[in-house]
Structures are given as C-alpha cells and as structure tokens.
Amino acid sequence: MPKVKVSIAKADNYEEAQAGIRAVMEPLGGFGAFIKDGQSVWLKPNMVRPLPNVPALTDARFMAALIREIKEQTDPSRIVVADAPYRGYPGVKAFNFEGEYSGLKMKETCEKEGAEVIYLDEYKWEKVEIPSAKVLKEAEFSKLRNEVDVIINVPKLKTHVQPGITVALKNWHGFISWPYRRLWHADNLSQKLVDIFKGPGAMPALNIVDGIIGVHEFGPSIAGLPYDSKTIIASPDPVATDAVASYMMGWDDPFQVEMVRIGHYDGVGVGDLNEIEIVGEPIFQFEDWIRPNMDLIAVYPNVNVIVGGLCAGCKSRVKFAMENILKRGLWEEYFEKHGPLTIVCGVGARLPEPSEDVWYVGDCTQFGQKWDEEGNPRFAWDEETVAERRKLLEDPKAVWFRGCPVWFTALSDEIKERVRKAAEAEA
C-alpha cells in the first residue's frame, strides 16, 4: 500500500509565496491532480481576530499567491474564499481588517485576484448527523460545501495552548457553526475536531499550510510570538499534515499531539511518520521553536493558583491569560496597585474567602469533592454542597468568571481593565 505523501517547500518571505506554493505542489502532481477544469473551489483560510504583532491569520499575500497559482495551473469556474471567525468577531470584520504584517485586507486582496469572498457566519448552515463520531454526533455544517466541487484547507502554522498545535485539523473548527464550536471545548476537543472530518462532505481534497511566518510559544493568538518558519506544507491528508507539522514544531513523536493520535486510530488519516512519505524538501525541526507548556502552579510570582479537577478548557484559558499579561509587561503594574492574586479553578478546588483578589474560574468551581467511607475522593454534586459553594461564589465581593470553559481573554481583560482604571485614578 503506497504511503500518504506530505510535501515540504521553503519560502523565505511572502514575495516568494507563489514560487513556494508551486514547489510544494509539484511532488503531489500540481493543482491539476486535485482540481479539474471547470470545477468550483472553496479555499478555507484561518480567519481569527487580527492582532498587532501576532501573525495568527492565514496571510492575505499567501492567499493571493495561492489563487494565482491555482488559476495558472487549472481553469476553475469559481474560486471562493470563505471562513467564519467566531462569535463577537464576525467575518465582515476579519476579512476587512488591514493586516499588521501584510498591510492588506483579505477580502480586497482575494477579490483583486478574481476570487469571491463569503462570510460563513452570514451564510447558510444545515444540521447533519455524524454516525461514526465519538463525541460530535451532530453539527451544523456550512451549506457551501455542497455548492463547490473541491475544498482546500489553508491553515496557519501555529501552536495552541490547549491541543498543542492548530494547523489542518484545528482549522476545521470553522467548518461548523458557532454553537457547535462551543460544545466539547474541554478535554474532548481533540476527539471533536477529528469527528468533524467524518461528517458528510467534510473532508478537504487538499491541505496547504501557510508556514512562511508561524506562531510559536503560547499561540494561537494574543500570547503567541511570531516565528520565521519560512515553510509551506501540503498533503491531501489532514492528519498527516499535522503529524509532519507537529514534528517540525518540536514533537519528536507526533502521537504526543492528541488529535494526531486520535485521527490516526480513528482512520481519518495517517499520523505515524513511518507511514508517511516526505517529498520535496527533507523534514526537519525548527531551531528554538518554543512549544507551549501548561504549568500553572509556582510559575508566576505573586499569583497563587489553586487547582481542583481541571479540564484542558479552563486550564488553557488561565495559562493563556497569565502569558498574555506577562508578554505585555502588565504584571508589575498590576501587583503594585492590587497586590498578590489568587486564582481558583476546577471541581472540588478549595475556595478561599471571596475578595477582589480571589478569582474563581469556570462553572465547575461550584461543584465540590467528598470522600467515601474508604477514603476515596468523589465529586460532590449534591444540592447542599453546591449551595454552600455558590454562597461564596456569588458573594458581592466575589469575582467569578462563569463559563465552560471561560472565554479566552476573560481574565486578561480584567487585569488590563484594572490597570487602566488605576492609571486613570492617578492621572
């Protein structure tokens, strides 16, 4: 049985993007192997909230180069660029933002190349069943998938504080509607992402990764740092794409990345490097690429973290907030005005007395922990325990961040707001 191919090419900058795209596609048979003349094509980039100094989006210059190269190699009837960022930051904003790195607006740039732009959040959705899914048994998929012949996944090369990486598999979160994106965004996230690809019409024909400038350390966005990765990766297999990308980002065994391992054993793709044929440039690992770590306790001076039974959802949010504030140099100013901070998260976590300097994180803090007759810990969901804990959580002096999980920027936004108010009071 032939191995699945993953192609690697180099591109030092976005001026070389089209040549790099041509080089990465050549070992795969070029775009003609995936797009027939007269077919319609959907290019799905990674569109999130644009941020200064963090290249978190698929670059507009990369998309322009991709559209040009597709049109030079094939004769499609229609090229659509479409994505849905997330609730509170709609497509109309993301696609019309003037990029910090490119100085270009995605919509304007793609339309100049002859592509059509669609904001998926304003488009049509349909509920579908996914019988073979293990977590996401149903979801709302964009109807656009039924209106095109070929779907091409165009993610960004980034780390992610929760699943470790966000490349081909994670980019498919934008394939489903916002309410279903909110579901299972905890310890089940990796399985859910793999499940999406099992749905009807959900498998892309090709995955091509914008890794010319990547994001490392505490990605995917605010707390991430730019990295000159100067690389493009392409493959028809999203799991194999992520396996190669994760190795290049420092995971010696791609199975250490949960969604790669799940995708492999669920049969969605190939995650074992021994079963992947690397074509184009040889595989390598980026020098000094920093992977996110999830340590919380005794990491940040003057921040005491109390942890109970904590899922990856809220844990990643707390870590994201801590690193976001650290990278913006706000901790010293915050502690000077407010003193030490205590953060409490997870089922059964000890709840200190409420105050403005004690922050309870997540809906699950309302649930307790008890011990059975043999001394084994058990979750306490009974009304008495919940009522006792909620009395503290809902105290007028309490600071309780609700959510399952909490919003990514909830904690860091609160810190920034307090710093701002303190500065205004002194002015």
Side-chain angles (χ1 to χ4, degrees):
M1 185 175 179
K3 293 183 177 181
V4 61
K5 290 182 178 180
V6 176
S7 182
I8 301 171
K10 300 295 290 182
D12 288 343
N13 49 57
Y14 284 101
E15 286 67 38
E16 298 180 8
Q18 188 171 351
I21 291 169
R22 187 181 308 120
V24 84
M25 289 304 300
E26 185 176 358
L28 301 178
F31 284 106
F34 302 91
I35 305 167
K36 305 306 178 187
D37 289 349
Q39 288 188 319
S40 54
V41 181
W42 170 13
L43 305 179
K44 190 214 170 292
N46 181 200
M47 299 298 291
V48 295
R49 180 188 292 273
L51 298 162
N53 306 316
V54 184
L57 291 73
T58 305
D59 197 283
R61 293 165 294 182
F62 189 86
M63 293 301 296
L66 177 58
I67 294 165
R68 286 196 300 271
E69 191 60 26
I70 288 173
K71 292 172 76 173
E72 287 182 16
Q73 292 192 27
T74 67
D75 185 22
S77 61
R78 178 190 186 202
I79 296 178
V80 181
V81 178
D83 193 19
Y86 54 82
R87 188 182 67 181
Y89 199 83
V92 66
K93 285 188 176 182
F95 277 91
N96 291 283
F97 176 85
E98 191 170 290
E100 180 74 18
Y101 277 78
S102 66
L104 301 173
K105 297 178 180 179
M106 181 68 82
K107 182 176 189 291
E108 183 179 277
T109 301
C110 293
E111 288 179 342
K112 281 183 179 179
E113 300 297 338
E116 175 188 352
V117 172
I118 291 177
Y119 312 135
L120 287 188
D121 48 309
E122 298 180 8
Y123 208 62
K124 299 165 287 186
W125 302 94
E126 66 173 348
K127 187 173 290 187
V128 301
E129 302 295 326
I130 313 176
S132 60
K134 294 180 179 176
V135 170
L136 193 68
K137 293 289 186 180
E138 69 170 34
E140 285 183 342
F141 284 6
S142 173
K143 284 190 173 183
L144 181 61
R145 78 192 196 287
N146 299 323
E147 300 167 10
V148 297
D149 300 303
V150 179
I151 304 175
I152 298 179
N153 186 10
V154 195
K156 190 75 170 178
L157 185 73
K158 299 185 290 185
T159 53
H160 194 292
V161 288
Q162 188 167 344
I165 70 170
T166 168
V167 192
L169 292 169
K170 181 67 169 62
N171 195 39
W172 237 225
H173 221 190
F175 198 79
I176 62 178
S177 68
W178 175 253
Y180 286 90
R181 279 196 243 180
R182 288 286 289 166
L183 290 174
W184 315 115
H185 216 300
D187 288 337
N188 287 318
L189 177 60
S190 293
Q191 180 67 64
K192 170 193 169 185
L193 293 171
V194 171
D195 284 344
I196 296 172
F197 288 83
K198 302 173 186 176
M203 182 63 71
L206 177 67
N207 307 272
I208 183 163
V209 182
D210 170 14
I212 296 177
I213 300 178
V215 178
H216 73 145
E217 206 164 334
F218 293 93
S221 52
I222 297 174
L225 294 175
Y227 185 97
D228 288 327
S229 34
K230 302 178 180 180
T231 301
I232 302 172
I233 304 169
S235 175
D237 184 326
V239 179
T241 301
D242 278 15
V244 169
S246 61
Y247 176 83
M248 296 176 75
M249 288 190 276
W251 280 267
D252 293 329
D253 180 2
F255 278 13
Q256 293 173 321
V257 177
E258 188 177 57
M259 57 186 163
V260 171
R261 185 175 68 251
I262 292 172
H264 179 89
Y265 287 114
D266 274 13
V268 168
V270 175
D272 185 344
L273 289 180
N274 295 315
E275 299 176 25
I276 296 172
E277 179 185 357
I278 305 297
V279 294
E281 297 284 337
I283 194 170
F284 65 96
Q285 290 188 319
F286 300 117
E287 293 183 5
D288 302 320
W289 180 283
I290 301 173
R291 292 162 42 184
N293 74 72
M294 296 303 292
D295 297 334
L296 288 175
I297 299 174
V299 174
Y300 306 97
N302 294 314
V303 181
N304 175 36
V305 182
I306 300 172
V307 174
L310 184 62
C311 80
C314 279
K315 186 175 185 181
S316 66
R317 270 45 171 200
V318 173
K319 186 69 178 183
F320 190 79
M322 300 299 99
E323 290 296 322
N324 181 15
I325 295 304
L326 182 67
K327 286 176 173 52
R328 277 147 185 76
L330 294 177
W331 274 132
E332 289 186 11
E333 190 173 355
Y334 177 85
F335 294 133
E336 181 182 341
K337 306 299 180 186
H338 297 279
L341 178 66
T342 295
I343 295 177
V344 185
C345 44
V347 175
R350 179 180 62 82
L351 299 182
E353 288 298 312
S355 80
E356 67 173 10
D357 300 316
V358 176
W359 293 2
Y360 310 119
V361 178
D363 290 350
C364 60
T365 50
Q366 65 189 297
F367 303 115
Q369 190 179 62
K370 291 185 177 180
W371 284 261
D372 63 17
E373 294 179 354
E374 298 178 354
N376 298 311
R378 296 288 183 264
F379 289 142
W381 313 95
D382 59 281
E383 292 183 7
E384 181 181 351
T385 300
V386 172
E388 182 180 342
R389 294 176 72 87
R390 285 184 72 103
K391 185 177 180 181
L392 292 174
L393 296 169
E394 295 173 345
D395 186 282
K397 299 186 296 293
V399 182
W400 185 16
F401 295 91
R402 297 296 306 268
C404 182
V406 296
W407 186 244
F408 257 115
T409 61
L411 280 72
S412 52
D413 285 348
E414 177 68 19
I415 292 170
K416 287 186 285 186
E417 181 65 11
R418 290 189 181 193
V419 168
R420 185 190 65 79
K421 287 182 177 179
E424 285 182 353
E426 291 183 346

